[in-house]
Amino acid sequence: MDDKVNLAEKFASFDEAFAPKIVATYNDNKVQLAKTRGEFVWHSHADTDDFFLVVSGRLTIQLRDRDVELGPGELYIVPRGAEHRPKADPEAHVLLIEPLGTPNTGDSAEREAVPEEAI
Amino acid sequence: MDDKVNLAEKFASFDEAFAPKIVATYNDNKVQLAKTRGEFVWHSHADTDDFFLVVSGRLTIQLRDRDVELGPGELYIVPRGAEHRPKADPEAHVLLIEPLGTPNTGDSAEREAVPEEAI
C-alpha cells in the first residue's frame, strides 16, 4: 500500500453485507472493512485471533457464553478457537484484521467464504 | 483479553505523549493507543510494518520523500524499513499495531524506547 486509507470513503464504495474488502495489508494480515446486517453464521478460527473495531452502528458478537456489544470506537478481539457469531441490527461498519488467507466463515459449513477482494 | 475496549475511555485514562499503551493483543501483536504532540524522532522498523489509525486530531507521518497527512478515520501502514517521523500539532490520538517486543523508537539512538505497558 502506498497511500492512506480513508475509512468513510471506502465504506461508501460498496454495499454488500458480510463481504469484507481488503483496504491494506499489515505484515501478513489483511485489514478489511465489512458491512454487517442481521446475523452471520457461527464459526471459529482455530489458528488466529479475530480483530473487530466498530466504526459506526452497533455490532453484537455472540459468544457461546455471552454477548459482546460494541458501539462506535469499541474493539474486541475474539480469541483463536472461540466460536462466535456477529450480528447487527440494522447495520454496523466494522474494521477487521485477520491473517491473509483466513476465510471469513472460519470453520463453518453453513455458508461459503467470500473471495479475498481488495478495494 | 476478555472484554471489549472502549477507545475513548482508554484515551481518557492517560496523558503522556509518545508513550503507547497496550489495550489488547491480536496474535503476537500489541494493539496500542498513543497520544502524539509535536514531533517524535525519525526511526524505522526493519522487521515489521507499522499500523497507524487516527482516532482524533490530525497526524502527519513524515517519510523521507513526502508527508502523509491523516485525520480521524484515516489509516496508513508504514512499510517495514521505511524511515518515518510522526508529528501532531497540537495533538492526535492514534491506534497503533506492532508486534509485541517492538520498541516504539525503532532503530533510533536519539530517544529511549518506553517500556511496554498495558492499561
Side-chain angles (χ1 to χ4, degrees):
Chain A
M1 185 178 74
D2 57 1
D3 212 350
K4 69 178 180 181
V5 174
N6 180 294
L7 301 185
E9 287 175 9
K10 291 292 189 187
F11 277 119
S13 74
F14 69 97
D15 191 53
E16 193 182 357
F18 296 118
K21 311 297 184 193
I22 299 173
V23 296
T25 58
Y26 158 73
N27 294 336
D28 296 325
N29 298 276
K30 49 188 177 180
V31 178
Q32 301 175 111
L33 301 183
K35 294 187 174 181
T36 55
R37 289 182 212 112
E39 285 179 354
F40 197 50
V41 288
W42 282 102
H43 68 285
S44 64
H45 305 279
D47 300 322
T48 182
D49 298 337
D50 214 358
F51 177 107
F52 289 82
L53 170 65
V54 172
V55 177
S56 66
R58 299 199 68 82
L59 180 73
T60 300
I61 300 176
Q62 294 181 287
L63 304 172
R64 286 300 185 187
D65 62 345
R66 66 191 172 105
D67 288 353
V68 177
E69 309 273 359
L70 301 176
E74 292 187 326
L75 70 85
Y76 180 71
I77 295 169
V78 178
R80 65 183 65 201
E83 286 186 289
H84 59 285
R85 178 168 66 170
K87 66 172 185 174
D89 180 12
E91 179 172 287
H93 293 181
V94 185
L95 186 152
L96 304 169
I97 304 176
E98 291 175 328
L100 283 159
T102 303
N104 66 316
T105 50
D107 62 347
S108 173
E110 277 183 65
R111 187 172 172 137
E112 200 172 341
V114 297
E116 291 188 322
E117 183 192 354
I119 59 171
Chain B
M1 186 178 73
D2 57 2
D3 211 350
K4 69 177 181 181
V5 175
N6 180 294
L7 301 185
E9 286 176 10
K10 291 292 188 185
F11 277 119
S13 75
F14 70 97
D15 191 53
E16 193 182 356
F18 297 117
K21 310 297 184 194
I22 299 174
V23 296
T25 58
Y26 158 74
N27 294 334
D28 296 325
N29 298 276
K30 49 187 176 180
V31 178
Q32 302 175 111
L33 301 183
K35 293 186 174 181
T36 55
R37 290 182 210 110
E39 284 178 354
F40 197 50
V41 288
W42 282 103
H43 67 284
S44 64
H45 305 279
D47 300 321
T48 182
D49 299 337
D50 214 358
F51 178 107
F52 289 82
L53 170 65
V54 172
V55 177
S56 66
R58 300 198 68 82
L59 180 73
T60 301
I61 299 176
Q62 293 180 288
L63 304 172
R64 285 299 187 188
D65 62 345
R66 66 193 172 103
D67 288 354
V68 178
E69 308 273 0
L70 301 177
E74 293 187 326
L75 70 85
Y76 180 70
I77 294 169
V78 178
R80 65 183 64 200
E83 285 187 289
H84 59 286
R85 178 168 66 170
K87 67 172 186 174
D89 180 13
E91 178 172 287
H93 293 182
V94 185
L95 185 152
L96 304 169
I97 304 176
E98 291 175 328
L100 283 160
T102 304
N104 66 317
T105 50
D107 62 346
S108 173
E110 276 183 66
R111 186 170 172 138
E112 200 172 342
V114 296
E116 293 188 321
E117 182 192 355
I119 60 172

